[in-house]
Amino acid sequence: MMKTNQVIVIGAGIGGITAAIHLAKNGLQVTVIEKNARPGGRCDRISREGHHFDTGPTLLVMPLLYETEFAALGASFRGMLDLQRVDPTYHLVFDDGSQLALTSDMMSLRKQLEAIEPGSFQGLLRYIQEGQRHYELGIEKLVCPDFRKVTDFFKLSNAPLLFQVKPLVKHYANMSNYFDDPRLKSAFTFQDVYMGLSPFEAPATFSMMPYTELAHGVWYPKGGMYQVVEALMALARQAGVEFVFEKTVERIDVNGKRAHGVMVDGQRLDADAVLANADLPYVYENLLPKDGQSKQLARKRYSCSVISFLWGVDKPYETLGPHTLFLADDYRENFDSIGRDMGLPDNPCLYIHAPARLDSTMAPQGQDTLIAIVPVGHMSENGGQDWAAIRDQARGHVFRRLRTLGILDLEKHIKFEVNLTPLSWRKRYNLVKGSTHGLCHNLTQLGYFRPDYQHSQYHNLYFTGASTRPGTGMPTAMVSGRQAAQRIMDGLKVNTV
C-alpha cells in the first residue's frame, strides 16, 4: 500500500483550518496542533454569564471572496451561515457632534453628504467607481494569484497596475480628488485600519474596501463572527482533520533542506510537510534556527495594535447602533502618534460594537454586550510603554465619547470587563509586538512583496496567515490557506481532486 502523506499544521487559525480542509479532502493525513483550547486564533470567542464577544473582526466584509473560498472547499457560504445585511453599516460621529450613517441607500446617503458638503455626492459616485476598479483588479491581480517566481508578478501585463490601482498614491491624499471636507475624507478612509494601516500611509488601492462595503454589503452571521470558524471546523472534521488543542509546538525540527516534524512535549512528531499558521515573525523568532531571514523579518514594519474592552452590561443601550465609530478632527495626528509614539493619541478615534442590536442571543434578555476597540501602537523594542496606564486612559476616552451621545451611566452598569492590550495579544496568540494585523501592509510589504508561502531553504516548510501573502483578514486568510495547501500538494506530488 502507498504511504499516506502526513502534514502537521501549527495553529488553528482561519488559514490553518482552511489549508487542512483542502489537504484532507485530497487524501492527506492532517493534524492541527493548537496551543489554545479552541480554534480561530485571533478570531476568537469569549463567553461569560450569557454575554458573547468576538475578539477579532466584528463584521463580515468582502462576501464575494468568502463565497469563492467556501465554494473551493465544496461548501455553500450562505448555506452554512445565517447572514443578515447590516445597513446602515456604520454610524460615524465627529468631534463637532455631526453624524453620518453610511448606507447603501443612495438617496439617504446623498442627502447626508450634501448637507455636509454640497456637491459631494457626485464625488462619492466617482470614488465608488474608482473603488470598483481597484477591487476587481486587486482581487484578480494581487490577492488571488500565487506568485511562485518573480516573473509571475513583474510581467508586462501587470505594468498598467501602476496607474490602474494607484499603489504609489497615498489613500488620504487621493481623497482630495473627491471631497474637500475632512469629515468625508476620514469617513471613506478609516477602513484602512482593517489592515492595521494609517490612511496617510496606505496606498489609494485600498479604496476597494469602502467600495465593497457599499456595493456588496456589510454582513453579520447569526451567532457572531465566530460562526465562520465553526463552519470551517465542521468542514474540517467532515474531511477527517485531526485537532490537538492545548499543546504548544516547541520548535520545528529542521535539518539540511527539510523540516522533519515538530517538537511537542519534548517528542518529535514526524511529518512529510509542515505548515505554520502561527504568526510568521513568531515562527522565525521562536520555532526555527536563527538566520539572516529571521533578522530580515524582524526589521520589517509591523501593524498597529488595539486595546479592546469587552463589557457585560446589566441594561440595554438600544440607542447605540451595532457599529459606531468616533472619528477625531485631528485625524492625521491620531495615526501619526500611533506610529511615532507607539501609544495612545490624545483624542483617539475609537469603535463601539453592540452585537445584540443584530442578534439578541449575544446578551441575556434585558442586558447588553458591548465591545470597545481603541487603536494604539504596537509594543516598542525597549518595552517602555505602561500598558496598564494606557489601558485606563483608553477606557476613559470611551466613556467620554459615549457621553456625547447621551450615554452617561455606562460605568455604573458594567457587570464585568475583559480587556485585551498588546501584551494580551502577544501572550494569547503569539503575535510579535502585539501587532494585531501582523506585518504592516505598506507598499513594500504588499502583494508579491509579502513573505512567500514556502520557506526558501526548508522546501517542505510552508506558511499561511496574516503576515504571509496575500495579507490580513478572514477571507484573505482563506485564500492564503488554499494557496499554501496547493503548494504542499505540488511539493508532495499529490494529484488534486
Side-chain angles (χ1 to χ4, degrees), residues 49-61:
E49 298 178 24
H51 299 267
H52 306 289
F53 307 88
D54 288 312
T55 64
T58 56
L59 43 79
L60 192 150
V61 296

Side-chain angles (χ1 to χ4, degrees), residues 455-466:
H455 197 282
S456 60
Q457 178 180 343
Y458 311 119
H459 296 158
N460 65 332
L461 172 59
Y462 303 84
F463 307 104
T464 183

Side-chain angles (χ1 to χ4, degrees), residues 114-134:
E114 292 295 321
I116 294 174
E117 180 188 325
S120 59
F121 185 70
Q122 289 302 314
L124 174 68
L125 294 181
R126 290 186 292 109
Y127 180 62
I128 290 175
Q129 188 176 33
E130 177 184 270
Q132 179 179 8
R133 184 178 75 245
H134 290 181

Side-chain angles (χ1 to χ4, degrees), residues 24 32-33 40 93 101 236 249 255 258 280-281 296 362 366 386 423-424 436:
V32 180
I33 303 173
V93 183
V249 171
N255 186 24
R258 291 187 58 80
L280 185 69
Q296 184 181 28
M362 301 301 282
D386 183 344
L423 295 173
S424 314
T436 46

Side-chain angles (χ1 to χ4, degrees), residues 75-96:
S76 166
F77 170 58
R78 294 183 183 272
M80 295 198 72
L81 294 163
D82 184 0
L83 296 171
Q84 61 175 305
R85 187 161 183 168
V86 183
D87 201 323
T89 54
Y90 311 93
H91 283 87
L92 307 183
V93 183
F94 303 99
D95 279 351
D96 64 359

Side-chain angles (χ1 to χ4, degrees), residues 138-159:
I139 294 295
E140 177 190 354
K141 301 284 190 178
L142 300 174
V143 173
C144 288
D146 180 6
F147 305 113
R148 299 201 178 195
K149 54 186 185 296
V150 66
T151 52
D152 288 342
F153 180 73
F154 290 103
K155 55 186 179 181
L156 195 59
S157 61
N158 278 349

Side-chain angles (χ1 to χ4, degrees), residues 170-181:
K170 302 304 182 189
H171 195 182
Y172 192 87
N174 188 53
M175 300 307 292
S176 296
N177 294 317
Y178 306 102
F179 307 112
D180 292 324
D181 194 292

